[in-house]
mmCIF file of all heavy atoms in Angstrom:
data_model
loop_
_atom_site.group_PDB
_atom_site.id
_atom_site.type_symbol
_atom_site.label_atom_id
_atom_site.label_comp_id
_atom_site.label_asym_id
_atom_site.label_seq_id
_atom_site.Cartn_x
_atom_site.Cartn_y
_atom_site.Cartn_z
ATOM 1 N N GLY A 90 -83.408 -186.866 -218.072
ATOM 2 C CA GLY A 90 -83.411 -185.311 -217.967
ATOM 3 C C GLY A 90 -83.134 -184.904 -216.537
ATOM 4 O O GLY A 90 -83.586 -185.585 -215.553
ATOM 5 N N LEU A 91 -82.387 -183.805 -216.319
ATOM 6 C CA LEU A 91 -82.192 -183.219 -215.039
ATOM 7 C C LEU A 91 -82.578 -181.781 -214.920
ATOM 8 O O LEU A 91 -82.188 -181.001 -215.867
ATOM 9 C CB LEU A 91 -80.711 -183.316 -214.682
ATOM 10 C CG LEU A 91 -80.146 -184.803 -214.476
ATOM 11 C CD1 LEU A 91 -78.596 -184.749 -214.318
ATOM 12 C CD2 LEU A 91 -80.825 -185.475 -213.239
ATOM 13 N N ALA A 92 -83.289 -181.432 -213.854
ATOM 14 C CA ALA A 92 -83.588 -179.984 -213.683
ATOM 15 C C ALA A 92 -82.350 -179.218 -213.212
ATOM 16 O O ALA A 92 -81.530 -179.874 -212.486
ATOM 17 C CB ALA A 92 -84.771 -179.844 -212.731
ATOM 18 N N LEU A 93 -82.245 -177.962 -213.502
ATOM 19 C CA LEU A 93 -81.155 -177.108 -213.124
ATOM 20 C C LEU A 93 -81.543 -176.107 -212.079
ATOM 21 O O LEU A 93 -82.632 -175.511 -212.151
ATOM 22 C CB LEU A 93 -80.534 -176.409 -214.333
ATOM 23 C CG LEU A 93 -79.997 -177.286 -215.478
ATOM 24 C CD1 LEU A 93 -79.554 -176.510 -216.683
ATOM 25 C CD2 LEU A 93 -78.978 -178.190 -214.976
ATOM 26 N N ARG A 94 -80.662 -175.926 -211.074
ATOM 27 C CA ARG A 94 -80.938 -174.887 -210.079
ATOM 28 C C ARG A 94 -80.339 -173.616 -210.466
ATOM 29 O O ARG A 94 -80.936 -172.505 -210.151
ATOM 30 C CB ARG A 94 -80.295 -175.430 -208.728
ATOM 31 C CG ARG A 94 -80.529 -174.480 -207.532
ATOM 32 C CD ARG A 94 -80.024 -175.217 -206.219
ATOM 33 N NE ARG A 94 -78.640 -175.547 -206.352
ATOM 34 C CZ ARG A 94 -78.031 -176.317 -205.419
ATOM 35 N NH1 ARG A 94 -78.729 -176.859 -204.447
ATOM 36 N NH2 ARG A 94 -76.709 -176.603 -205.533
ATOM 37 N N ARG A 95 -79.208 -173.637 -211.098
ATOM 38 C CA ARG A 95 -78.490 -172.338 -211.568
ATOM 39 C C ARG A 95 -77.703 -172.650 -212.846
ATOM 40 O O ARG A 95 -77.175 -173.684 -212.970
ATOM 41 C CB ARG A 95 -77.589 -171.847 -210.444
ATOM 42 C CG ARG A 95 -76.954 -170.461 -210.726
ATOM 43 C CD ARG A 95 -76.116 -170.017 -209.564
ATOM 44 N NE ARG A 95 -74.934 -170.831 -209.412
ATOM 45 C CZ ARG A 95 -73.818 -170.573 -210.070
ATOM 46 N NH1 ARG A 95 -73.637 -169.479 -210.756
ATOM 47 N NH2 ARG A 95 -72.714 -171.420 -209.850
ATOM 48 N N ILE A 96 -77.790 -171.576 -213.808
ATOM 49 C CA ILE A 96 -77.088 -171.808 -215.030
ATOM 50 C C ILE A 96 -76.134 -170.588 -215.173
ATOM 51 O O ILE A 96 -76.586 -169.586 -215.531
ATOM 52 C CB ILE A 96 -78.079 -171.800 -216.170
ATOM 53 C CG1 ILE A 96 -79.254 -172.851 -215.947
ATOM 54 C CG2 ILE A 96 -77.360 -172.189 -217.455
ATOM 55 C CD1 ILE A 96 -80.303 -172.822 -216.874
ATOM 56 N N PRO A 97 -74.882 -170.801 -214.952
ATOM 57 C CA PRO A 97 -73.868 -169.683 -215.109
ATOM 58 C C PRO A 97 -73.506 -169.588 -216.585
ATOM 59 O O PRO A 97 -72.581 -170.222 -217.050
ATOM 60 C CB PRO A 97 -72.683 -170.182 -214.265
ATOM 61 C CG PRO A 97 -72.805 -171.653 -214.194
ATOM 62 C CD PRO A 97 -74.251 -171.961 -214.337
ATOM 63 N N HIS A 98 -74.287 -168.766 -217.393
ATOM 64 C CA HIS A 98 -74.105 -168.733 -218.800
ATOM 65 C C HIS A 98 -72.723 -168.271 -219.175
ATOM 66 O O HIS A 98 -72.173 -168.706 -220.207
ATOM 67 C CB HIS A 98 -75.214 -167.856 -219.436
ATOM 68 C CG HIS A 98 -76.594 -168.466 -219.451
ATOM 69 N ND1 HIS A 98 -77.568 -168.070 -218.563
ATOM 70 C CD2 HIS A 98 -77.024 -169.425 -220.227
ATOM 71 C CE1 HIS A 98 -78.658 -168.792 -218.917
ATOM 72 N NE2 HIS A 98 -78.398 -169.638 -219.864
ATOM 73 N N ARG A 99 -72.154 -167.359 -218.486
ATOM 74 C CA ARG A 99 -70.879 -166.818 -218.821
ATOM 75 C C ARG A 99 -69.833 -167.983 -218.662
ATOM 76 O O ARG A 99 -69.001 -168.124 -219.644
ATOM 77 C CB ARG A 99 -70.477 -165.758 -217.865
ATOM 78 C CG ARG A 99 -69.084 -165.134 -218.167
ATOM 79 C CD ARG A 99 -68.774 -163.898 -217.326
ATOM 80 N NE ARG A 99 -69.629 -162.795 -217.638
ATOM 81 C CZ ARG A 99 -69.538 -161.639 -217.014
ATOM 82 N NH1 ARG A 99 -68.657 -161.445 -215.984
ATOM 83 N NH2 ARG A 99 -70.430 -160.621 -217.322
ATOM 84 N N ALA A 100 -69.861 -168.682 -217.537
ATOM 85 C CA ALA A 100 -68.936 -169.806 -217.481
ATOM 86 C C ALA A 100 -69.148 -170.883 -218.541
ATOM 87 O O ALA A 100 -68.212 -171.437 -218.996
ATOM 88 C CB ALA A 100 -69.092 -170.442 -216.022
ATOM 89 N N LEU A 101 -70.509 -171.086 -218.871
ATOM 90 C CA LEU A 101 -70.719 -172.064 -219.899
ATOM 91 C C LEU A 101 -70.221 -171.634 -221.239
ATOM 92 O O LEU A 101 -69.593 -172.480 -221.954
ATOM 93 C CB LEU A 101 -72.302 -172.247 -220.010
ATOM 94 C CG LEU A 101 -72.755 -173.260 -221.099
ATOM 95 C CD1 LEU A 101 -72.292 -174.613 -220.823
ATOM 96 C CD2 LEU A 101 -74.365 -173.126 -221.077
ATOM 97 N N ASP A 102 -70.323 -170.369 -221.623
ATOM 98 C CA ASP A 102 -69.716 -169.848 -222.887
ATOM 99 C C ASP A 102 -68.248 -169.957 -222.825
ATOM 100 O O ASP A 102 -67.596 -170.226 -223.879
ATOM 101 C CB ASP A 102 -70.251 -168.451 -223.079
ATOM 102 C CG ASP A 102 -71.717 -168.344 -223.331
ATOM 103 O OD1 ASP A 102 -72.280 -169.359 -223.725
ATOM 104 O OD2 ASP A 102 -72.273 -167.252 -223.141
ATOM 105 N N GLU A 103 -67.575 -169.607 -221.700
ATOM 106 C CA GLU A 103 -66.121 -169.661 -221.637
ATOM 107 C C GLU A 103 -65.588 -171.110 -221.817
ATOM 108 O O GLU A 103 -64.523 -171.269 -222.278
ATOM 109 C CB GLU A 103 -65.673 -169.073 -220.262
ATOM 110 C CG GLU A 103 -65.865 -167.606 -220.174
ATOM 111 C CD GLU A 103 -65.557 -167.109 -218.787
ATOM 112 O OE1 GLU A 103 -65.273 -167.912 -217.819
ATOM 113 O OE2 GLU A 103 -65.545 -165.855 -218.635
ATOM 114 N N ARG A 104 -66.422 -172.079 -221.410
ATOM 115 C CA ARG A 104 -65.966 -173.441 -221.513
ATOM 116 C C ARG A 104 -66.436 -174.205 -222.712
ATOM 117 O O ARG A 104 -66.317 -175.430 -222.854
ATOM 118 C CB ARG A 104 -66.325 -174.219 -220.189
ATOM 119 C CG ARG A 104 -65.516 -173.798 -219.037
ATOM 120 C CD ARG A 104 -66.105 -174.322 -217.730
ATOM 121 N NE ARG A 104 -65.236 -174.113 -216.645
ATOM 122 C CZ ARG A 104 -65.153 -172.906 -215.919
ATOM 123 N NH1 ARG A 104 -65.953 -171.892 -216.375
ATOM 124 N NH2 ARG A 104 -64.380 -172.698 -214.984
ATOM 125 N N THR A 105 -67.103 -173.376 -223.604
ATOM 126 C CA THR A 105 -67.497 -173.922 -224.912
ATOM 127 C C THR A 105 -66.454 -173.586 -225.909
ATOM 128 O O THR A 105 -66.020 -172.507 -226.126
ATOM 129 C CB THR A 105 -68.813 -173.351 -225.297
ATOM 130 O OG1 THR A 105 -69.867 -173.637 -224.279
ATOM 131 C CG2 THR A 105 -69.300 -173.878 -226.680
ATOM 132 N N VAL A 106 -66.104 -174.717 -226.725
ATOM 133 C CA VAL A 106 -65.076 -174.612 -227.753
ATOM 134 C C VAL A 106 -65.571 -173.513 -228.799
ATOM 135 O O VAL A 106 -66.653 -173.612 -229.375
ATOM 136 C CB VAL A 106 -64.816 -175.948 -228.536
ATOM 137 C CG1 VAL A 106 -63.891 -175.776 -229.665
ATOM 138 C CG2 VAL A 106 -64.344 -176.929 -227.457
ATOM 139 N N SER A 107 -64.737 -172.518 -229.004
ATOM 140 C CA SER A 107 -65.039 -171.436 -229.959
ATOM 141 C C SER A 107 -64.474 -171.850 -231.341
ATOM 142 O O SER A 107 -63.278 -172.121 -231.480
ATOM 143 C CB SER A 107 -64.383 -170.101 -229.427
ATOM 144 O OG SER A 107 -64.654 -169.038 -230.361
ATOM 145 N N VAL A 108 -65.358 -171.770 -232.363
ATOM 146 C CA VAL A 108 -64.973 -171.983 -233.680
ATOM 147 C C VAL A 108 -65.354 -170.801 -234.531
ATOM 148 O O VAL A 108 -66.537 -170.380 -234.616
ATOM 149 C CB VAL A 108 -65.719 -173.246 -234.208
ATOM 150 C CG1 VAL A 108 -65.338 -173.542 -235.664
ATOM 151 C CG2 VAL A 108 -65.437 -174.435 -233.364
ATOM 152 N N ASP A 109 -64.291 -170.154 -235.122
ATOM 153 C CA ASP A 109 -64.515 -169.014 -235.955
ATOM 154 C C ASP A 109 -64.631 -169.458 -237.438
ATOM 155 O O ASP A 109 -64.169 -170.543 -237.767
ATOM 156 C CB ASP A 109 -63.343 -168.016 -235.737
ATOM 157 C CG ASP A 109 -63.326 -167.461 -234.327
ATOM 158 O OD1 ASP A 109 -64.434 -167.310 -233.702
ATOM 159 O OD2 ASP A 109 -62.256 -167.324 -233.770
ATOM 160 N N LYS A 110 -65.018 -168.520 -238.316
ATOM 161 C CA LYS A 110 -65.005 -168.774 -239.698
ATOM 162 C C LYS A 110 -63.642 -168.819 -240.222
ATOM 163 O O LYS A 110 -62.812 -167.974 -240.040
ATOM 164 C CB LYS A 110 -65.734 -167.622 -240.444
ATOM 165 C CG LYS A 110 -65.808 -167.829 -242.001
ATOM 166 C CD LYS A 110 -66.634 -166.754 -242.619
ATOM 167 C CE LYS A 110 -65.951 -165.386 -242.665
ATOM 168 N NZ LYS A 110 -64.830 -165.426 -243.607
ATOM 169 N N GLY A 111 -63.320 -170.021 -240.876
ATOM 170 C CA GLY A 111 -61.986 -170.191 -241.426
ATOM 171 C C GLY A 111 -61.893 -169.760 -242.909
ATOM 172 O O GLY A 111 -62.971 -169.335 -243.497
ATOM 173 N N GLU A 112 -60.745 -169.938 -243.465
ATOM 174 C CA GLU A 112 -60.550 -169.411 -244.875
ATOM 175 C C GLU A 112 -60.882 -170.586 -245.772
ATOM 176 O O GLU A 112 -60.656 -171.775 -245.515
ATOM 177 C CB GLU A 112 -59.104 -169.007 -245.092
ATOM 178 C CG GLU A 112 -58.758 -167.709 -244.334
ATOM 179 C CD GLU A 112 -57.376 -167.278 -244.626
ATOM 180 O OE1 GLU A 112 -56.673 -167.989 -245.439
ATOM 181 O OE2 GLU A 112 -56.858 -166.307 -244.066
ATOM 182 N N LEU A 113 -61.493 -170.262 -246.904
ATOM 183 C CA LEU A 113 -61.701 -171.281 -247.945
ATOM 184 C C LEU A 113 -60.430 -171.599 -248.687
ATOM 185 O O LEU A 113 -59.682 -170.673 -249.006
ATOM 186 C CB LEU A 113 -62.804 -170.817 -249.005
ATOM 187 C CG LEU A 113 -64.205 -170.594 -248.423
ATOM 188 C CD1 LEU A 113 -65.042 -169.947 -249.490
ATOM 189 C CD2 LEU A 113 -64.805 -171.897 -248.023
ATOM 190 N N LEU A 114 -60.197 -172.821 -248.933
ATOM 191 C CA LEU A 114 -58.906 -173.260 -249.646
ATOM 192 C C LEU A 114 -59.211 -173.119 -251.147
ATOM 193 O O LEU A 114 -59.657 -174.003 -251.813
ATOM 194 C CB LEU A 114 -58.599 -174.729 -249.320
ATOM 195 C CG LEU A 114 -57.289 -175.262 -249.969
ATOM 196 C CD1 LEU A 114 -56.120 -174.312 -249.684
ATOM 197 C CD2 LEU A 114 -57.093 -176.699 -249.497
ATOM 198 N N LEU A 115 -58.892 -171.972 -251.713
ATOM 199 C CA LEU A 115 -59.026 -171.718 -253.150
ATOM 200 C C LEU A 115 -57.705 -172.001 -253.842
ATOM 201 O O LEU A 115 -56.594 -171.562 -253.375
ATOM 202 C CB LEU A 115 -59.379 -170.160 -253.336
ATOM 203 C CG LEU A 115 -59.492 -169.709 -254.799
ATOM 204 C CD1 LEU A 115 -60.680 -170.457 -255.444
ATOM 205 C CD2 LEU A 115 -59.652 -168.233 -254.875
ATOM 206 N N ARG A 116 -57.749 -172.840 -254.908
ATOM 207 C CA ARG A 116 -56.555 -173.312 -255.564
ATOM 208 C C ARG A 116 -56.205 -172.347 -256.797
ATOM 209 O O ARG A 116 -55.331 -172.693 -257.573
ATOM 210 C CB ARG A 116 -56.777 -174.684 -256.031
ATOM 211 C CG ARG A 116 -56.894 -175.657 -254.924
ATOM 212 C CD ARG A 116 -56.711 -177.083 -255.426
ATOM 213 N NE ARG A 116 -56.624 -178.066 -254.334
ATOM 214 C CZ ARG A 116 -57.634 -178.780 -253.932
ATOM 215 N NH1 ARG A 116 -58.779 -178.756 -254.528
ATOM 216 N NH2 ARG A 116 -57.498 -179.664 -252.929
ATOM 217 N N ILE A 117 -56.825 -171.210 -256.842
ATOM 218 C CA ILE A 117 -56.382 -170.200 -257.856
ATOM 219 C C ILE A 117 -55.584 -169.110 -257.034
ATOM 220 O O ILE A 117 -56.012 -168.687 -256.025
ATOM 221 C CB ILE A 117 -57.545 -169.583 -258.489
ATOM 222 C CG1 ILE A 117 -58.462 -170.636 -259.181
ATOM 223 C CG2 ILE A 117 -57.174 -168.446 -259.454
ATOM 224 C CD1 ILE A 117 -59.767 -170.071 -259.787
ATOM 225 N N ASN A 118 -54.419 -168.837 -257.523
ATOM 226 C CA ASN A 118 -53.604 -167.799 -256.913
ATOM 227 C C ASN A 118 -53.176 -166.805 -257.943
ATOM 228 O O ASN A 118 -53.099 -167.071 -259.172
ATOM 229 C CB ASN A 118 -52.415 -168.401 -256.251
ATOM 230 C CG ASN A 118 -51.443 -169.187 -257.203
ATOM 231 O OD1 ASN A 118 -50.769 -168.540 -257.980
ATOM 232 N ND2 ASN A 118 -51.499 -170.531 -257.151
ATOM 233 N N PRO A 119 -52.749 -165.640 -257.489
ATOM 234 C CA PRO A 119 -52.359 -164.518 -258.482
ATOM 235 C C PRO A 119 -51.029 -164.717 -259.085
ATOM 236 O O PRO A 119 -50.624 -163.946 -259.964
ATOM 237 C CB PRO A 119 -52.355 -163.277 -257.516
ATOM 238 C CG PRO A 119 -52.036 -163.837 -256.145
ATOM 239 C CD PRO A 119 -52.693 -165.145 -256.121
ATOM 240 N N PHE A 120 -50.249 -165.800 -258.778
ATOM 241 C CA PHE A 120 -48.947 -165.979 -259.353
ATOM 242 C C PHE A 120 -48.946 -167.002 -260.440
ATOM 243 O O PHE A 120 -47.882 -167.218 -261.133
ATOM 244 C CB PHE A 120 -47.966 -166.425 -258.324
ATOM 245 C CG PHE A 120 -48.037 -165.503 -257.037
ATOM 246 C CD1 PHE A 120 -48.610 -165.913 -255.897
ATOM 247 C CD2 PHE A 120 -47.470 -164.228 -257.077
ATOM 248 C CE1 PHE A 120 -48.699 -165.241 -254.819
ATOM 249 C CE2 PHE A 120 -47.505 -163.468 -255.992
ATOM 250 C CZ PHE A 120 -48.126 -163.871 -254.826
ATOM 251 N N THR A 121 -50.040 -167.630 -260.740
ATOM 252 C CA THR A 121 -50.082 -168.777 -261.758
ATOM 253 C C THR A 121 -51.243 -168.542 -262.726
ATOM 254 O O THR A 121 -52.408 -168.283 -262.252
ATOM 255 C CB THR A 121 -50.256 -170.126 -260.976
ATOM 256 O OG1 THR A 121 -49.200 -170.282 -260.096
ATOM 257 C CG2 THR A 121 -50.118 -171.295 -262.061
ATOM 258 N N ARG A 122 -50.964 -168.636 -263.967
ATOM 259 C CA ARG A 122 -52.031 -168.550 -265.013
ATOM 260 C C ARG A 122 -52.766 -169.843 -264.998
ATOM 261 O O ARG A 122 -52.229 -170.943 -264.716
ATOM 262 C CB ARG A 122 -51.395 -168.332 -266.415
ATOM 263 C CG ARG A 122 -50.642 -167.030 -266.531
ATOM 264 C CD ARG A 122 -50.006 -166.894 -267.883
ATOM 265 N NE ARG A 122 -51.010 -166.828 -268.919
ATOM 266 C CZ ARG A 122 -51.554 -165.648 -269.294
ATOM 267 N NH1 ARG A 122 -51.249 -164.520 -268.707
ATOM 268 N NH2 ARG A 122 -52.507 -165.641 -270.335
ATOM 269 N N CYS A 123 -54.092 -169.708 -265.298
ATOM 270 C CA CYS A 123 -55.037 -170.876 -265.128
ATOM 271 C C CYS A 123 -56.178 -170.647 -266.123
ATOM 272 O O CYS A 123 -56.432 -169.616 -266.565
ATOM 273 C CB CYS A 123 -55.502 -171.133 -263.766
ATOM 274 S SG CYS A 123 -56.578 -169.804 -263.089
ATOM 275 N N SER A 124 -56.877 -171.695 -266.392
ATOM 276 C CA SER A 124 -58.050 -171.697 -267.165
ATOM 277 C C SER A 124 -59.102 -172.574 -266.516
ATOM 278 O O SER A 124 -58.850 -173.448 -265.775
ATOM 279 C CB SER A 124 -57.790 -172.285 -268.642
ATOM 280 O OG SER A 124 -57.247 -173.608 -268.574
ATOM 281 N N LEU A 125 -60.403 -172.228 -266.777
ATOM 282 C CA LEU A 125 -61.592 -172.956 -266.238
ATOM 283 C C LEU A 125 -62.326 -173.705 -267.234
ATOM 284 O O LEU A 125 -62.613 -173.229 -268.356
ATOM 285 C CB LEU A 125 -62.536 -171.949 -265.509
ATOM 286 C CG LEU A 125 -61.894 -171.023 -264.413
ATOM 287 C CD1 LEU A 125 -62.928 -170.057 -263.949
ATOM 288 C CD2 LEU A 125 -61.410 -171.927 -263.267
ATOM 289 N N HIS A 126 -62.583 -174.960 -266.917
ATOM 290 C CA HIS A 126 -63.206 -175.910 -267.916
ATOM 291 C C HIS A 126 -64.469 -176.510 -267.343
ATOM 292 O O HIS A 126 -64.642 -176.639 -266.108
ATOM 293 C CB HIS A 126 -62.249 -177.036 -268.182
ATOM 294 C CG HIS A 126 -60.980 -176.572 -268.899
ATOM 295 N ND1 HIS A 126 -60.714 -176.795 -270.210
ATOM 296 C CD2 HIS A 126 -59.950 -175.948 -268.406
ATOM 297 C CE1 HIS A 126 -59.556 -176.280 -270.564
ATOM 298 N NE2 HIS A 126 -59.071 -175.726 -269.330
ATOM 299 N N CYS A 127 -65.391 -176.896 -268.207
ATOM 300 C CA CYS A 127 -66.596 -177.576 -267.765
ATOM 301 C C CYS A 127 -66.215 -178.880 -267.113
ATOM 302 O O CYS A 127 -65.451 -179.674 -267.677
ATOM 303 C CB CYS A 127 -67.508 -177.892 -268.977
ATOM 304 S SG CYS A 127 -68.970 -178.870 -268.585
ATOM 305 N N GLY A 128 -66.785 -179.213 -265.894
ATOM 306 C CA GLY A 128 -66.466 -180.407 -265.229
ATOM 307 C C GLY A 128 -67.047 -181.643 -265.819
ATOM 308 O O GLY A 128 -66.575 -182.734 -265.447
ATOM 309 N N ASN A 129 -67.976 -181.514 -266.789
ATOM 310 C CA ASN A 129 -68.631 -182.674 -267.363
ATOM 311 C C ASN A 129 -67.946 -183.110 -268.642
ATOM 312 O O ASN A 129 -67.752 -184.249 -268.851
ATOM 313 C CB ASN A 129 -70.078 -182.346 -267.653
ATOM 314 C CG ASN A 129 -70.836 -183.438 -268.185
ATOM 315 O OD1 ASN A 129 -70.782 -184.627 -267.593
ATOM 316 N ND2 ASN A 129 -71.574 -183.291 -269.217
ATOM 317 N N CYS A 130 -67.579 -182.112 -269.501
ATOM 318 C CA CYS A 130 -66.984 -182.511 -270.782
ATOM 319 C C CYS A 130 -65.635 -181.840 -271.098
ATOM 320 O O CYS A 130 -65.070 -182.117 -272.192
ATOM 321 C CB CYS A 130 -67.915 -182.078 -271.907
ATOM 322 S SG CYS A 130 -68.214 -180.272 -272.085
ATOM 323 N N ALA A 131 -65.106 -181.080 -270.095
ATOM 324 C CA ALA A 131 -63.753 -180.455 -270.239
ATOM 325 C C ALA A 131 -63.721 -179.284 -271.226
ATOM 326 O O ALA A 131 -62.613 -178.826 -271.585
ATOM 327 C CB ALA A 131 -62.735 -181.535 -270.545
ATOM 328 N N ASN A 132 -64.868 -178.885 -271.724
ATOM 329 C CA ASN A 132 -64.912 -177.655 -272.587
ATOM 330 C C ASN A 132 -64.378 -176.524 -271.911
ATOM 331 O O ASN A 132 -64.712 -176.266 -270.697
ATOM 332 C CB ASN A 132 -66.390 -177.475 -273.111
ATOM 333 C CG ASN A 132 -66.410 -176.362 -274.162
ATOM 334 O OD1 ASN A 132 -65.503 -176.185 -274.994
ATOM 335 N ND2 ASN A 132 -67.558 -175.640 -274.208
#
Side-chain angles (χ1 to χ4, degrees):
L91 292 176
L93 300 177
R94 182 171 59 188
R95 186 177 68 91
I96 309 169
H98 285 108
R99 178 177 296 179
L101 179 62
D102 292 336
E103 290 175 352
R104 288 171 173 80
T105 298
V106 175
S107 177
V108 181
D109 298 323
K110 180 176 73 75
E112 295 183 0
L113 293 172
L114 179 58
L115 178 67
R116 294 197 171 100
I117 300 176
N118 62 72
F120 309 106
T121 306
R122 296 178 67 85
C123 64
S124 56
L125 300 177
H126 299 251
C127 173
N129 184 49
C130 67
N132 186 32

